[in-house]
């Protein structure tokens, strides 16, 4: 926290929004004035000098780790597939510990092998959260807009409630909310203390008609908030969450092919513009009193 | 999962899903086993056996077993345990160790890979708080696990009586900020612990939350979860099993007997021994024992 960065500290970038190797991404994010970063496991394991070097780079960057993404297709499997995914989950949790990530993002399953039975989904998510307890990691479950049976956050919330684990909560992603045209009034059913992460992105067109188009848009054509067609909805989303009491992190998750061929610094400056708009014009959270550390234990310092 | 002969009855017991029957042993890890041994002897433990292949000693008094482990197992490869003794494991007596282990893994516990030497028992274990482990031991009535892995120290009484009726009372665990619900759920879900109401406290250190194990009488023991003081920043990796608490029917008598053996107690304005409990001064960089008034069983 510096005096000039005040309200920007509530926002961070996802590494997936940037091109290049991890050190270049860390540098671009920090130089743009951000204090936190959402890491992709791929960025860590793909480091040219190995995972340990990646962990050292993150820890030496001075950036706080918002969380680690993403565990896919975890829930609803059985037998050998389930055991396999538990192993993958353990590896992701170990990666979280190594890099100091307190949140693991899990997105709803797209697997045709997975059951849609809510009871089974809740049981598996509960098990995942239990695996995360000794490591002090929280599990954020996100409804992927092309998830097989969970594609909207109210459904994700239902299984989170059913699983009933204190360290299991929701990851919200504005893209998926807009893509599925989930009413923002539905946010009212959520307990803000159980929203562990909010990822923000927009896209350029009003509507997405098919699931195929959702996938294509989500993976290639996202833009930063303020650059897309749903600025009003983004404003509503963050102001609603704020009014409900959400004080956690926001991270920009912008999958965009154009951004993948631009210098990271240029993309990060667009993200900074977005953070300025949301932080200073829209959200205007109160900044901590001078000389006080943030005691939001899990997020601090 | 193959059905064990009694699994239907045990499974039906939602209150005590593992058939938990108390603590079989508590293990310390330290690179200074003799120094810790001396401390343990001052509070009434006696060394009674040595491990067959590792630098591990078994101490006992009454029904309580303490294992002092000076070997590298449980530490990162190539490094031994730290000098400051740490509680490295709790071994729980359960109805069926293999079933308890499988159930715990099914619910999301981390398995500890076992490294068993020739002629040693395979005791299933899961990871607990920090670097500690939780072992599952069954058949504790029919035979002793120590008969297999340990060699008795000659001429020593293998069953030394407990000093002033000491017995296991519980273990204090330090947890991170905002971790109370996580750990409560961990112990409730995996072992069947339940939280006591806030007004029900023992001894002279009533902070945090107390979880009671399933099982009655001598099988019952407690875990006390304590968060950092308000305003203290959460330092990473500071969760651990902090100290053992012993039950005694008469705290002042225990304190007097231990003082005569050279044990020193915390005795200040804010904290001093009384009829409810007492706390020893920390030794060897952090080993303290708590004593709590508890009825004889």
């Amino acid at each position: 926290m510096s005096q000039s960065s005040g309200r920007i500290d509530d926002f961070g970038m996802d590494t997936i929004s940037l091109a290049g190797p991890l050190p270049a991404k860390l540098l671009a994010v920090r130089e743009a004035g951000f204090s936190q970063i959402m890491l992709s496991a791929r960025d860590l394991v793909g480091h040219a000098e190995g995972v340990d070097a990646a962990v050292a780079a993150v820890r030496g960057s001075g950036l706080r780790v918002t969380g680690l993404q993403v565990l896919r297709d975890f829930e609803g499997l059985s037998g050998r597939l389930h055991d396999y995914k538990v192993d993958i989950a353990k590896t992701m949790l170990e990666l979280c510990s190594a890099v100091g990530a307190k949140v693991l993002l899990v997105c709803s399953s797209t697997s045709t092998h997975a059951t849609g039975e809510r009871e089974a989904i809740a049981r598996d998510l509960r098990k995942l959260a239990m695996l995360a307890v000794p490591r002090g990691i929280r599990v954020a479950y996100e409804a992927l807009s092309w998830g097989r049976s969970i594609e909207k956050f109210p459904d994700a919330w239902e299984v989170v409630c059913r699983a009933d684990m204190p360290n299991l909560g929701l990851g919200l992603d504005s893209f998926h909310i807009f893509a599925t045209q989930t009413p923002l009034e539905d946010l009212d059913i959520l307990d803000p203390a159980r929203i562990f992460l909010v990822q923000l992105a927009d896209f350029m067109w009003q509507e997405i008609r098919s699931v195929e188009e959702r996938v294509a848009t989500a993976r290639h054509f996202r833009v930063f908030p303020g650059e897309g067609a749903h600025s009003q909805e983004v404003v509503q989303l963050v102001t609603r969450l704020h009014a409900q009491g959400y004080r956690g992190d926001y991270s920009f998750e912008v999958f965009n092919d154009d951004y993948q061929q631009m210098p990271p610094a240029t993309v990060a400056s667009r993200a900074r513009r977005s953070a300025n708009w949301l932080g200073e014009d829209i959200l205007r959270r109160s900044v901590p009193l001078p000389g006080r550390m943030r005691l939001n234990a899990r997020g601090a310092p | 999962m193959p059905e064990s002969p009694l699994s239907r009855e045990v499974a039906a017991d939602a209150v005590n899903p593992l058939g938990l029957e108390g603590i079989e042993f508590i293990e310390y890890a330290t690179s200074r086993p003799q120094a810790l041994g001396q401390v343990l002897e001052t509070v009434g433990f006696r060394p009674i056996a040595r491990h067959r292949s590792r630098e591990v000693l078994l101490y006992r008094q009454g029904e309580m077993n303490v294992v002092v482990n000076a070997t590298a197992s449980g530490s990162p490869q190539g490094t031994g345990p730290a000098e400051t003794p740490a509680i490295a494991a709790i071994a729980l007596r359960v109805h069926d160790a293999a079933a308890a282990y499988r159930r715990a893994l099914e619910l999301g516990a981390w398995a500890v890979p076992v490294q068993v030497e020739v002629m040693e028992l395979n005791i299933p274990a899961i990871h607990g708080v920090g670097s500690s482990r939780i072992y599952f031991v069954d058949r504790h009535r029919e035979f002793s696990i120590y008969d297999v892995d340990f060699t008795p120290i000659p001429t020593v009484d293998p069953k030394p009586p407990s000093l002033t009726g000491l017995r296991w009372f519980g273990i204090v665990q330090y947890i991170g900020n905002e971790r109370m619900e996580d750990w409560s759920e961990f112990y409730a879900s995996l072992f069947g612990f339940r939280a006591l109401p806030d007004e029900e406290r023992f001894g002279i250190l009533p902070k945090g939350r107390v979880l009671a194990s399933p099982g009655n009488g001598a099988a019952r023991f407690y875990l006390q979860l304590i968060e950092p003081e308000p305003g203290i920043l959460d330092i990473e990796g500071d969760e651990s099993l902090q100290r053992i608490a012993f039950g005694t029917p008469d705290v002042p008598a225990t304190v007097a007997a231990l003082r005569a053996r050279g044990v020193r107690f915390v005795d200040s304005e804010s904290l001093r021994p009384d009829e409810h409990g007492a706390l020893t001064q920390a030794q060897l960089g952090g080993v303290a024992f708590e004593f709590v008034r508890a009825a004889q069983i």
Side-chain angles (χ1 to χ4, degrees), chain B residues 155-175:
Chain B
T155 76
V156 165
D157 176 7
K159 295 195 171 191
S162 76
L163 198 78
T164 66
L166 293 182
R167 62 180 178 87
W168 295 131
F169 188 80
I171 293 171
V172 173
Q173 177 178 331
Y174 280 5
I175 61 176

Side-chain angles (χ1 to χ4, degrees), chain A residues 77-86:
Chain A
L77 300 171
S78 51
R80 190 179 303 155
L81 277 170
H82 171 77
D83 293 344
Y84 165 78
K85 273 295 178 184
V86 167

